[in-house]
Amino acid sequence: MLNKKTSLAPKMGMLILMFFVAVAIFAPIISPYDPNTITSPYLKPSREHFLGTNDIGQDIFSELIYGARLSLFIGFFSAFIVTLVGSVLGIVSGYYKGIVGRIIMGVTNIALVIPSLPLTIVLAAYMQASIWNIIIAICATSWAGTARIIRSRTLQIRELPFIKIEHALGVGNLQIMFAHILPNVLEVILIKGTLAVSSAMLTEAGLSFLGLSSSTAKSWGSILHYAFFRNGVLNNYWWWYMPPIICISLCVLGFMLLGYHGKGKNKTTNKMELT
Amino acid sequence: MKAAAILKRIFEYALILFIIITINFLLTHYMPGDPILHLIGEEEYYNLMASNPQVIEEMREKYGLNKSTLEQYWIYLKTTVTLNFGYSYIYKQPVLDVLLFRMKWTLMLLIPSVIISAFLGAFLGIKAGWKPGSQFDILTTPLMLLINTTPTYCISIFVLTFFSFTMGFFPFGGMTSGGLSGLDKALDIMWHMFLPLMILVISKTSYDYFIMKSSVIEISEEDYILTAMSKGLSDRDVLSKHVLKNALLPYITVVCMQLGFSVAGTMLVEVVFSWKGMGTLIQRSVQVKDFPMLQLSFLFISVCVIISNIISDLLYIAIDPRIKEGESRAQ
Amino acid sequence: MLAIKDLSVEFMTDHKVKAVDRVSLNIRKGTNTTIIGETGSGKSVLILSILRLLPPSAKITGKVIFENSDLFQMSKKETELIRGRKISYIPQGSGNALNPLLIIGYQVAEPMIVHKMITKKQAPQRSIDLLKRFNLGNEERRIHDYPHTLSGGMKQRVLVAMGISAGAGLILADEPTKGLDKSRVFMVVDCFQQLKSETILCVTHDLDFAQVIGDYVAVMYAAQIVEYSKKDDFFSKPLHPYSEALINSMPENGLKALKGFAPPHDTYSYSGCRFFERCSFKSDRCRSDPPLVEFGIRQVRCWKYAD
């Protein structure tokens, strides 16, 4: 019975994500308005404006659809960089156990202790508010978790007989690392990568909610920011603040369902910085 | 033997603290923009720039910004060690004073929420982990997952609108109604802090729940649990005498570490409930670009994380008999 | 003392796995019986099932009669009263069988405390006495140590002391010599030889150990018992081709290794001898289930002796 449940979870996750990805890709077709077009502000949901309009008269439903684009883009792009950097550092430091490995590991351990959300905020505050700076801030602070897990996996794999044989046969280090070790840690990388997308999306939403994103960028977090700071919540315009909340939560749930499958009993995720 | 392990950890953390101070230095001096701007704020900077630019030059002299990087770094370290973190141009006070005042309010939310959720998460996690697949587990786990995936500020917005705006049970935010004293004031504060506290509790509980649950499941599969059962212990005694102690070991350390990270976590909840703690302080500082304030907040939170890491390490060393000299925590 | 009748254990995980298949075995009071088999033959599952220590996914059928009552018909409470006091289980020392966070002295005395034979205050002295019996050395200090300070051989001796601590008459032991090097094995052997009044049912893949300890030997292969006999008869003249192969693989007999592997669990439902693929005496009739042939108390499951 338990087995049925675990195989159902990633399917559900996949379904949720496919929905959002489709929305993001076909945003111009689906959305009834250009999210930047301005009409009358604070309209209630109606036939013309499915979810009403915001404080400056933009269609919230269209904002939400384009928001999927930006939120997912930032999530995927940051996760890609984070996972790439983390994996390379993890494999290299696991493979070269000597001074190189020690230095990388030392830096990783330090990076793990530095609280990432405050650092991200400070970084984002120093830089001009823009999507790219948010991505840079996310990447700079969240590669360490991936690096550590990949490193410990690499340490296990490098002790396996087949790697030792390769070594004895004089196969080059680079080739061993990327042709033989990489395929064996790929599963962990994919799992970490999936979870990295959701954690990047959460960070982005948090930063945007605090108003650290560019004022023209439309992500779910920034919709929520305006809904909260421009009296949407105070006046209980649920059609304004609820949809972004639901979208963020559903999307994160989708990534979690997908990522925790095959993760088994691994309990070392550093989600706590965000929740 | 254990002393050496402790010393080694403390040395490591001192190094981390040093690195964080260095990051702060690099941020002020190498981020785009004039460092003086970062020190006195945009408005003041442009005013001075227009009226009498020589004041800016004097300040440059005073802060040693004309000197070499190395000398500047040395000056920065000296001022940091003497707890001279600069002046907030928004609050017109030394940043340290502002921060310490705000910290009090954050701790008021943080400490009870960490403690309550530690117990609640442990209790629920043990119940679900001891009999995985039971009705309790099947009901609780999806609920916890849902709480876990919804950002806390989203839950906060939802709860605020429902309980405060729609039902009118609780205030719209803030910390006191004002004009009260004594017991009335205390009760009033409790009334104001109920919702934010509750949200922090449930979100932390969901996190603790999964840690405890997986820990209990893992321990139940250990050989020594079978040994204990073979001695004739009842299920209850196996759980209380053999599973719990082993499962609590990683749990306590995770909860302790969480204490530090939670300072950042409470931030967004504070913003929603306009709770004047560290979180709103940081948010406001970001908006008005109060860089000395931001830097100190970052340093301060880092110190909290380091302290909670040290506590967690010490606990681990104290509880676990297996820990040997120089051996870091099993990860 | 203990009569196992038609005991089967199935695991209901992804696909059904029959770990023990209709095993019957009589253990006589005061004798030692060893069950020999390779890893995966189901021997450990067999002894765990006697005390109902298997996870809920295991489906057990058959009977185990102990002191005139069926262990499988007992309530949970009754089973708990038997465990440790009447029948005890000695896990293998190579694993993680001792709780890492409790001192050795408490763990050794725990069966007595659980069955309210002593108070907690008496525990240290009782464990010292028990451990002295097995020459752990420096017992007064040792009881305050944690398990990680013990070597594999010492752990096994502690586990034996724990097993007899509440005076159980029947001892079930799981691979006591596993993971120990030869020089340590004799200490464990010594331990078990001290247990004179107890009845022992011991699972092992160590033939030397079986030769020293056992009065009777049962050979388990692919979830079934294929041979049962007195120890001396078994080692001088094994009947089943598998037993013969095992004995030939002993160092003093020239280390002739048995080739091939035991059949996978999912093929157990097919008829025919399970040793067929590896047998050097096979004939056509071995394609149907071999009969259990009895010579007095001796039993063998093979067509060779059917006539």
Side-chain angles (χ1 to χ4, degrees):
Chain A
M1 209 182 97
L2 271 166
N3 281 305
K4 245 187 220 161
K5 233 176 87 188
T6 45
S7 62
L8 187 67
K11 274 183 203 150
M12 273 168 55
M14 201 63 207
L15 212 67
I16 295 172
L17 296 180
M18 270 159 56
F19 169 75
F20 281 113
V21 169
V23 167
I25 291 173
F26 299 112
I29 304 169
I30 308 168
S31 95
Y33 300 91
D34 180 333
N36 293 314
T37 318
I38 289 166
T39 53
S40 2
Y42 297 117
L43 288 179
K44 294 196 171 168
S46 63
R47 197 159 292 167
E48 290 79 49
H49 297 284
F50 191 51
L51 292 171
T53 57
N54 66 9
D55 56 316
I56 53 169
Q58 294 166 336
D59 182 57
I60 294 172
F61 185 58
S62 308
E63 268 192 302
L64 210 60
I65 288 167
Y66 276 90
R69 244 184 189 191
L70 189 58
S71 295
L72 281 171
F73 171 73
I74 293 178
F76 276 115
F77 193 84
S78 323
F80 176 73
I81 305 279
V82 163
T83 312
L84 187 72
V85 172
S87 307
V88 170
L89 289 180
I91 291 177
V92 170
S93 74
Y95 186 73
Y96 295 107
K97 280 202 284 192
I99 189 84
V100 180
R102 281 176 157 213
I103 290 174
I104 299 177
M105 201 52 216
V107 175
T108 312
N109 276 338
I110 289 167
L112 276 171
V113 174
I114 297 175
S116 61
L117 189 62
L119 180 60
T120 318
I121 289 171
V122 172
L123 279 177
Y126 269 106
M127 298 183 287
Q128 291 300 312
S130 84
I131 301 162
W132 292 105
N133 284 340
I134 282 197
I135 291 177
I136 291 170
I138 292 173
C139 294
T141 53
S142 52
W143 52 273
T146 308
R148 195 185 69 184
I149 288 186
I150 302 297
R151 177 189 138 97
S152 66
R153 220 12 111 77
T154 308
L155 281 174
Q156 288 166 9
I157 288 163
R158 61 162 290 154
E159 297 305 324
L160 293 179
F162 83 97
I163 299 290
K164 294 200 159 162
I165 292 169
E166 301 267 346
H167 221 107
L169 287 173
V171 179
N173 287 333
L174 271 178
Q175 202 184 340
I176 294 180
M177 275 190 279
F178 293 100
H180 300 282
I181 294 180
L182 181 67
N184 284 291
V185 293
L186 202 61
E187 200 196 338
V188 190
I189 293 180
L190 286 177
I191 291 167
K192 273 307 263 182
T194 312
L195 295 172
V197 183
S198 69
S199 92
M201 285 180 68
L202 277 172
T203 312
E204 184 276 329
L207 293 178
S208 300
F209 175 69
L210 287 175
L212 280 168
S213 180
S214 140
S215 53
T216 52
K218 294 222 174 292
S219 73
W220 293 332
S222 62
I223 299 174
L224 198 58
H225 169 80
Y226 288 110
F228 185 76
F229 289 96
R230 302 280 163 85
N231 299 334
V233 171
L234 202 66
N235 296 321
N236 204 2
Y237 295 154
W238 54 264
W239 54 89
W240 194 0
Y241 65 82
M242 276 315 279
I245 291 181
I246 292 170
C247 288
I248 295 168
S249 308
L250 258 182
C251 224
V252 171
L253 184 69
F255 282 109
M256 293 260 260
L257 289 177
L258 193 64
Y260 276 105
H261 162 69
K263 200 171 155 62
K265 287 183 283 183
N266 202 338
K267 55 191 160 79
T268 45
T269 36
N270 266 326
K271 258 190 321 76
M272 55 185 127
E273 300 103 282
L274 280 158
T275 42
Chain B
M1 221 164 83
K2 282 186 170 179
I6 294 168
L7 274 178
K8 187 170 175 251
R9 299 302 285 175
I10 289 177
F11 173 74
E12 279 172 24
Y13 288 124
L15 183 71
I16 292 172
L17 188 61
F18 177 71
I19 287 167
I20 287 168
I21 293 170
T22 309
I23 292 177
N24 261 339
F25 169 77
L26 294 175
L27 282 177
T28 358
H29 292 259
Y30 292 97
M31 273 296 166
D34 191 339
I36 292 289
L37 184 146
H38 294 157
L39 286 169
I40 62 169
E42 258 170 11
E43 206 179 327
E44 185 84 357
Y45 181 78
Y46 290 119
N47 274 342
L48 283 173
M49 220 32 170
S51 54
N52 43 348
Q54 75 274 15
V55 178
I56 290 188
E57 286 317 307
E58 276 165 29
M59 290 181 88
R60 210 179 288 282
E61 194 69 40
K62 185 181 149 206
Y63 287 104
L65 293 173
N66 296 326
K67 294 183 180 145
S68 73
T69 311
L70 224 62
E71 272 174 290
Q72 287 189 40
Y73 184 45
W74 180 241
I75 293 167
Y76 184 81
L77 286 182
K78 271 200 291 198
T79 52
T80 306
V81 169
T82 53
L83 300 182
N84 180 6
F85 297 104
Y87 201 74
S88 163
Y89 40 84
I90 302 300
Y91 296 93
K92 313 281 181 219
Q93 275 180 52
V95 281
L96 189 61
D97 295 357
V98 181
L99 185 102
L100 289 178
F101 175 76
R102 292 298 197 97
M103 193 61 208
K104 202 175 65 188
W105 289 98
T106 294
L107 287 180
M108 224 166 102
L109 282 182
L110 187 68
I111 290 174
S113 73
V114 168
I115 293 171
I116 297 172
S117 51
F119 281 101
L120 208 58
F123 177 75
L124 298 175
I126 290 165
K127 208 162 150 60
W130 183 231
K131 294 258 149 51
S134 67
Q135 209 169 5
F136 178 81
D137 180 30
I138 289 169
L139 286 175
T140 319
T141 302
L143 179 71
M144 291 295 174
L145 187 64
L146 192 72
I147 296 172
N148 213 326
T149 53
T150 313
T152 40
Y153 52 93
C154 293
I155 305 178
S156 305
I157 290 177
F158 184 72
V159 167
L160 181 73
T161 49
F162 186 74
F163 286 101
S164 299
F165 299 161
T166 312
M167 310 289 286
F169 290 161
F170 292 97
F172 291 180
M175 301 182 296
T176 55
S177 313
L180 296 165
S181 62
L183 185 64
D184 285 342
K185 191 179 176 191
L187 285 174
D188 185 56
I189 292 175
M190 276 161 80
W191 183 53
H192 278 83
M193 72 186 274
F194 183 83
L195 284 184
L197 184 65
M198 190 187 79
I199 284 156
L200 289 174
V201 166
I202 62 168
S203 84
K204 283 185 211 308
T205 300
S206 78
Y207 184 79
D208 293 348
Y209 169 83
F210 284 108
I211 293 183
M212 189 45 126
K213 186 183 160 187
S214 65
S215 180
V216 168
I217 289 178
E218 209 169 307
I219 302 288
S220 320
E221 284 162 5
E222 292 281 357
D223 295 343
Y224 53 80
I225 300 305
L226 189 69
T227 311
M229 281 167 65
S230 78
K231 290 174 181 177
L233 272 83
S234 62
D235 272 15
R236 213 192 170 77
D237 286 344
V238 173
L239 182 63
S240 66
K241 295 206 171 93
H242 291 269
V243 177
L244 273 193
K245 203 169 175 191
N246 282 283
L248 279 175
L249 187 63
Y251 184 73
I252 290 173
T253 58
V254 170
V255 168
C256 274
M257 289 218 288
Q258 204 192 11
L259 223 121
F261 282 111
S262 299
V263 180
T266 45
M267 197 173 139
L268 294 153
V269 176
E270 285 184 9
V271 171
V272 174
F273 286 96
S274 25
W275 185 265
K276 300 270 180 275
M278 289 248 331
T280 39
L281 178 69
I282 293 175
Q283 190 246 342
R284 175 121 174 85
S285 309
V286 165
Q287 278 180 342
V288 298
K289 307 245 168 199
D290 189 347
F291 290 108
M293 198 73 244
L294 271 180
Q295 286 202 356
L296 180 62
S297 306
F298 171 55
L299 180 66
F300 197 84
I301 293 175
S302 305
V303 171
C304 291
V305 172
I306 289 172
I307 291 173
S308 58
N309 267 282
I310 292 175
I311 295 174
S312 135
D313 281 350
L314 291 182
L315 273 174
Y316 211 99
I317 292 170
I319 305 174
D320 193 342
R322 283 164 298 187
I323 216 131
K324 283 188 227 114
E325 186 176 3
E327 204 172 279
S328 67
R329 174 154 17 89
Q331 287 180 332
Chain C
M1 180 158 202
L2 185 81
I4 302 172
K5 283 180 190 152
D6 277 331
L7 174 69
S8 296
V9 181
E10 268 181 290
F11 284 97
M12 317 296 274
T13 46
D14 304 347
H15 24 261
K16 269 196 217 165
V17 172
K18 205 156 198 178
V20 176
D21 193 4
R22 283 162 295 157
V23 164
S24 295
L25 198 61
N26 271 311
I27 314 292
R28 288 168 185 78
K29 196 174 171 84
T31 64
N32 297 345
T33 307
T34 49
I35 300 176
I36 300 172
E38 54 199 276
T39 313
S41 58
K43 56 194 196 305
S44 294
V45 173
L46 172 66
I47 65 164
L48 285 174
S49 68
I50 295 170
L51 279 175
R52 296 161 84 183
L53 289 170
L54 293 170
S57 62
K59 200 174 137 243
I60 307 175
T61 52
K63 279 183 186 167
V64 175
I65 309 293
F66 175 76
E67 290 181 346
N68 301 323
S69 47
D70 186 353
L71 292 176
F72 294 166
Q73 301 297 326
M74 287 183 174
S75 71
K76 225 175 149 172
K77 194 78 218 150
E78 286 170 312
T79 312
E80 280 162 12
L81 285 174
I82 297 267
R83 286 177 186 164
R85 197 169 62 143
K86 298 272 174 129
I87 305 176
S88 74
Y89 166 71
I90 301 180
Q92 60 192 45
S94 61
N96 209 359
L98 290 166
N99 190 329
L101 299 186
L102 294 174
I103 56 165
I104 293 157
Y106 174 76
Q107 299 197 53
V108 168
E110 195 176 22
M112 294 187 272
I113 299 170
V114 170
H115 294 292
K116 303 199 170 61
M117 299 161 76
I118 57 167
T119 62
K120 264 195 181 166
K121 263 196 190 139
Q122 294 167 288
Q125 192 50 50
R126 297 297 286 269
S127 8
I128 292 172
D129 295 345
L130 270 165
L131 292 172
K132 275 208 166 122
R133 223 180 119 185
F134 298 105
N135 300 319
L136 196 68
N138 209 355
E139 292 83 3
E140 285 82 1
R141 289 237 326 266
R142 271 286 174 219
I143 58 160
H144 299 294
D145 283 347
Y146 288 93
H148 72 274
T149 58
L150 298 179
S151 69
M154 284 161 113
K155 263 187 201 163
Q156 191 63 61
R157 275 177 280 163
V158 168
L159 289 168
V160 174
M162 195 159 87
I164 63 158
S165 130
L170 175 61
I171 309 277
L172 311 173
D174 192 0
E175 309 238 21
T177 58
K178 194 174 183 179
L180 297 177
D181 49 60
K182 276 279 172 248
S183 58
R184 306 266 174 235
V185 168
F186 80 92
M187 289 201 272
V188 174
V189 170
D190 196 46
C191 263
F192 276 85
Q193 280 178 333
Q194 282 202 40
L195 308 180
K196 297 220 167 58
S197 55
E198 285 88 355
T199 309
I200 301 173
L201 175 60
C202 174
V203 150
T204 186
H205 62 258
D206 184 342
L207 288 165
D208 294 322
F209 185 71
Q211 197 161 15
V212 187
I213 293 299
D215 298 313
Y216 295 91
V217 171
V219 179
M220 211 164 164
Y221 186 77
Q224 288 176 323
I225 289 194
V226 293
E227 181 164 357
Y228 174 76
S229 83
K230 279 198 163 128
K231 175 183 74 182
D232 295 333
D233 297 343
F234 177 79
F235 282 98
S236 58
K237 191 178 174 294
L239 292 181
H240 197 279
Y242 177 60
S243 316
E244 205 173 324
L246 280 179
I247 286 172
N248 283 337
S249 73
M250 288 170 76
E252 56 268 40
N253 297 330
L255 264 173
K256 287 186 278 292
L258 178 59
K259 287 193 183 66
F261 300 96
H265 289 287
D266 50 8
T267 59
Y268 290 179
S269 51
Y270 305 143
S271 64
C273 178
R274 289 174 192 175
F275 190 60
F276 187 78
E277 292 297 329
R278 301 163 89 182
C279 186
S280 35
F281 302 99
K282 61 188 165 203
S283 63
D284 263 349
R285 59 182 174 175
C286 301
R287 289 187 191 279
S288 52
D289 282 340
L292 190 69
V293 187
E294 297 189 19
F295 304 99
I297 63 155
R298 198 165 189 185
Q299 299 172 329
V300 59
R301 190 183 298 275
C302 182
W303 279 110
K304 229 172 118 185
Y305 306 96
D307 314 310

